[in-house]
């Protein structure tokens, strides 16, 4: 049996499914992984899906999305799309190493580059690189407190494994593109592991797109280990259809001197929840955790950020900005923990929101938990409308009301877009943000790739290009 | 060009303008003076269309068109410019982008094609020289981090770029040192033509030494209580506003 239907009581069905298909799920797993799956399953079995009575889930309700007749694929579904066509990169000058994923499955062929870099399917890596996997897999993701991570750990079938050896700097950005396209209602568990060796560096763009309008639930867990003095420039780009749910849990573990920048850009999606946890485990490590969300209709975005300052002399900087229109809703929960030893911590957090309609809502909550005394921590949160004085100023120069509003929203978002370090990616996102603000971005438009149409320069009624 | 008749305007139920009459013809420079809080800035705001004010009575005609009810941007496109007393900072919108958007919107209103990029850049450079602006504007957000003087110069720079028929300068001299004042005045004087007009709002006579007005009006308690030639400004300088206040009692 390849798959099963899971009725609206999804948790119970999943539990039954696990028991029934345990043999298939764990086939080829080394003993430690079988044990980990069992532990994770026990956790999930005990607590089920997160619900709104939990503090961390108070404002994000999964019950509506769970009330579907899900299929739970055990194998990649037969393809009815032309992969070459779907994944054809049409962005000029943006030469990335592309890792296509379809419904979570790694679609390329695994490879080990001459410099020792490994890019592989997760399922394959478990067999081919047992030591590397055992050393890291499941060490950073939290199955005790995060039910969705437990679910993923018990049920995952595939995902991406990337290993960058010590002292290797990858010049070419790596781009993971996970498309959900099944022709039916599916629930998938995608598991990725990224390991960066000492003094290594990489740019990683992780895209989550839909190419059909079916209901889908993508529960992805990504673990990232950054060894001493490694650098990661990481982007999450999310453009999903309004029927989809994406729960994305990313666990970063930073050793001494490691430098992380992660930027979550959410353009569309029925329900998106990004759980981003960063453990600053070695001194002088630094994390920039950034995000931009542009939501409308009934869309829901939830960003949960947990920064764990475990040792002294680390810095973290969080900035999330969002624009919410129509009935869209948003949540930002920023938790900074400074452990007793983590002196000389510098942690900064800010969340800024603009509500365009009076029906849009944002729930923003900073939470600083500080047990050391020699630290600098600050937080701020703003919720407002567009600046009327600024709009009047623009209009007084002849710029129409709508265009003035567009310029101001764009300017608000530019704060985050400008921080994208890869110029071609920045330009591309810039275009996508403009399109999004004009209401011209469809969820089938992929983050950096382009489906079915030639790349066209975004023509604005007002010219917002920079000269 | 501009004809204001018996204009009464209020904000939050409080009447600020209590019957203003003013005629401005092409080629003229009018100065509006008066103590603080008498309605000078309100008058400027009402002419350009700030909607926080309620027009209770009267009319404002610009080139024969009724301005009341006309959207702010349309008034600008018709050729009205306001140099703000407190220019607004707009982080994230570059000066270049802002000016290019504004110019092209105004051109579109007049049925013209967008200004070619090279012509636009040349115009920027020329106007920067006129106002002695040395900063690179391409990457600077509108007014962000500008000093008080830079902001005021930037207003005149925008005026030069947009080339309006009627420019209203609201206390452009406040916060300027004498050198900046001279630069601003030089900019205005260079732009004076027989087919455009200026309304210069100021608290002090000092600016009028450099921008010589054809007419001076004194606004007090929401009315123009005195009008005259440029010598009225000198009289005010000598006698102060107390003289006007006493004359009113």
């Amino acid at each position: 049996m390849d798959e099963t239907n899971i009725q609206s009581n999804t948790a119970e069905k999943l539990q039954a499914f696990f028991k029934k298909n345990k043999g298939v799920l764990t086939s080829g797993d080394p003993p430690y992984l079988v044990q980990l799956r069992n532990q994770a399953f026990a956790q999930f079995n005990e607590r089920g899906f997160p619900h709104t009575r939990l503090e961390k889930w108070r404002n994000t309700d999964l019950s509506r999305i769970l009330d579907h007749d899900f299929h739970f694929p055990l194998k990649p579904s037969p393809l009815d799309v032309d992969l070459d066509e779907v994944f054809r990169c049409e962005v000029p000058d943006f030469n990335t190493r592309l890792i296509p994923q379809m419904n979570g499955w790694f679609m390329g062929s695994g490879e080990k580059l001459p410099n020792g870099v490994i890019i592989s399917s997760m399922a394959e890596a478990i067999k081919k690189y047992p030591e590397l996997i055992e050393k890291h897999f499941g060490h950073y993701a939290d199955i005790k407190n995060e039910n969705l991570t437990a679910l993923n750990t018990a049920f995952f079938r595939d995902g991406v494994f990337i290993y960058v050896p010590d002292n290797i700097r990858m010049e070419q950005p790596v781009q993971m593109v996970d498309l959900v396209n099944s022709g039916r209602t599916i629930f998938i568990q995608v598991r990725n592991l990224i390991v960066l060796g000492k003094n290594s560096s990489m740019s990683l763009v992780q895209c989550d797109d839909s190419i059909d309008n079916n209901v889908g639930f993508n529960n992805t867990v990504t673990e990232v280990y950054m060894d001493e003095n490694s650098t990661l420039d990481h982007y999450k780009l999310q453009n999903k259809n309004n029927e989809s749910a994406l729960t994305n849990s990313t666990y970063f573990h930073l050793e001494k001197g490691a430098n992380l920048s992660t930027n979550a850009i959410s353009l569309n999606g029925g329900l998106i929840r990004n759980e981003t946890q960063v453990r600053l485990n070695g001194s002088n490590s630094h994390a920039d955790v950034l995000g931009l969300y542009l939501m409308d209709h009934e869309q829901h975005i939830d960003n949960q950020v947990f920064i764990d300052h475990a040792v002294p002399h680390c810095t973290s900087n969080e900035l999330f900005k969002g624009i919410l229109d129509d009935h869209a809703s948003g949540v930002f929960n920023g938790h900074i923990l400074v452990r007793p030893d983590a002196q000389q911590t510098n942690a900064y957090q800010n969340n800024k929101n603009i509500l365009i309609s009076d029906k849009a809502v944002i729930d923003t909550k900073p939470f600083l938990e500080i047990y050391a005394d020699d630290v600098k921590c600050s937080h701020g949160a703003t919720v407002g409308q567009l600046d009327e004085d600024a709009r009047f100023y623009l209009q007084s120069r002849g710029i129409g009301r709508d265009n003035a509003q567009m310029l101001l929203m764009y300017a608000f978002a530019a704060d985050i877009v400008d921080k994208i370090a890869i110029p071609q990616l920045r330009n591309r996102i810039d275009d996508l943000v403009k399109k999004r603000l004009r209401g011209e971005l469809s969820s089938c438009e992929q983050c950096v790739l382009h489906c079915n149409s030639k790349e066209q320069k975004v023509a604005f009624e007002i010219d917002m290009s920079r000269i | 060009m501009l004809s204001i008749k018996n204009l009464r305007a209020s904000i939050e139920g409080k009447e600020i303008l209590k019957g203003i009459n003013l005629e401005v013809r092409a080629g003229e420079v009018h100065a509006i003076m008066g103590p603080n809080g008498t309605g000078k800035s309100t008058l400027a705001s009402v002419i350009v269309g700030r909607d926080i004010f309620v027009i209770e009575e009267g009319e404002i005609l610009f080139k024969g068109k009724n301005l009341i009810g006309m959207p702010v941007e349309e008034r600008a496109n018709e050729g009205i410019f306001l140099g703000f007393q407190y220019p607004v900072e707009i982080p994230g919108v570059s000066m270049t982008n802002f000016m290019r958007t504004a110019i092209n919107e105004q051109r579109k209103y007049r049925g013209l094609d967008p200004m070619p990029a090279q012509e636009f850049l040349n115009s920027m450079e020329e106007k920067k020289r006129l106002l002695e602006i040395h900063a690179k504007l391409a990457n600077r957000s509108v007014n962000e981090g500008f000093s008080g003087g830079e902001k005021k110069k930037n207003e005149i720079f925008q005026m030069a770029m947009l080339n309006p028929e009627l420019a209203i300068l609201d206390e452009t001299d406040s916060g300027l040192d004498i050198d900046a004042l001279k630069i601003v005045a030089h900019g205005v004087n260079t732009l004076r033509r027989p087919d455009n007009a200026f309304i210069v709002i100021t608290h002090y006579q000092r600016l009028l030494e450099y921008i010589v007005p054809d007419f001076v009006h004194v606004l007090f308690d929401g009315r123009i209580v005195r009008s005259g030639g440029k010598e009225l400004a000198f009289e005010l300088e000598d006698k102060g506003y107390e003289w006007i206040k006493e004359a009113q009692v």
Side-chain angles (χ1 to χ4, degrees), chain A residues 387-390 392-401 403 407-408 410-411 414 461-467, chain B residues 48 50 72-73 76-77 81-82 84 90-93 96-98 100-102 105-106 108 138 143 155 158:
Chain A
D387 182 347
E388 282 302 317
D389 288 338
F392 176 71
Y393 191 77
L394 294 171
Q395 282 181 267
S396 79
R397 301 306 186 232
I399 300 170
R401 191 180 165 84
N403 281 339
L407 264 178
L408 291 173
Y410 172 69
E461 195 181 320
I462 49 169
D463 190 343
M464 308 216 296
S465 62
R466 288 163 194 192
I467 55 172
Chain B
V48 297
R50 181 111 228 207
V72 180
E73 60 271 23
N77 291 331
F81 177 89
L82 172 65
F84 282 62
I90 312 182
V93 177
T96 307
N97 209 353
F98 169 47
R100 200 171 168 203
T101 305
E105 290 250 311
Q106 296 207 7
K108 190 173 155 198
N143 291 321
E155 293 295 290
Q158 291 172 43

Side-chain angles (χ1 to χ4, degrees), chain A residues 27 62 84 177 195 223 225 251 270 301 310 359 370 408 422 425:
Chain A
S27 67
L62 290 177
D84 289 341
V177 180
V195 177
E223 292 180 281
Y225 174 78
Y251 298 88
I301 176 77
K359 300 285 192 302
I370 301 171
L408 291 173
I422 307 166
L425 182 65

Side-chain angles (χ1 to χ4, degrees), chain A residues 16 49 51-52 68 85 104 130 136 142 152 158 179 183 185 205 215 255 269-270 275 282 297 308 365 387 397 466:
Chain A
F49 283 99
H51 48 75
T52 53
H68 282 101
E85 185 61 25
H136 296 288
D142 179 359
N152 176 285
D158 200 11
L179 297 180
T185 305
V205 184
V215 175
E255 291 297 353
E275 171 82 43
H297 299 296
D308 182 352
K365 199 178 91 178
D387 182 347
R397 301 306 186 232
R466 288 163 194 192

Side-chain angles (χ1 to χ4, degrees), chain A residues 42-96:
Chain A
Q43 291 284 346
F44 180 74
N45 202 24
E46 191 186 320
R47 294 186 314 242
F49 283 99
H51 48 75
T52 53
R53 294 183 306 280
L54 298 168
E55 181 58 27
K56 276 191 80 175
W57 286 86
R58 206 157 48 88
N59 296 295
T60 295
D61 187 357
L62 290 177
S63 61
R64 204 167 60 98
I65 183 76
L66 289 173
D67 189 17
H68 282 101
D69 185 9
F70 283 111
H71 298 270
F72 181 65
L74 279 169
K75 279 187 192 165
S77 38
L79 293 169
D80 56 356
V81 290
D82 180 352
L83 266 189
D84 289 341
E85 185 61 25
V86 169
F87 287 108
R88 190 179 60 201
C89 179
E90 299 238 4
V91 178
D93 310 323
F94 189 42
N95 185 13
T96 60

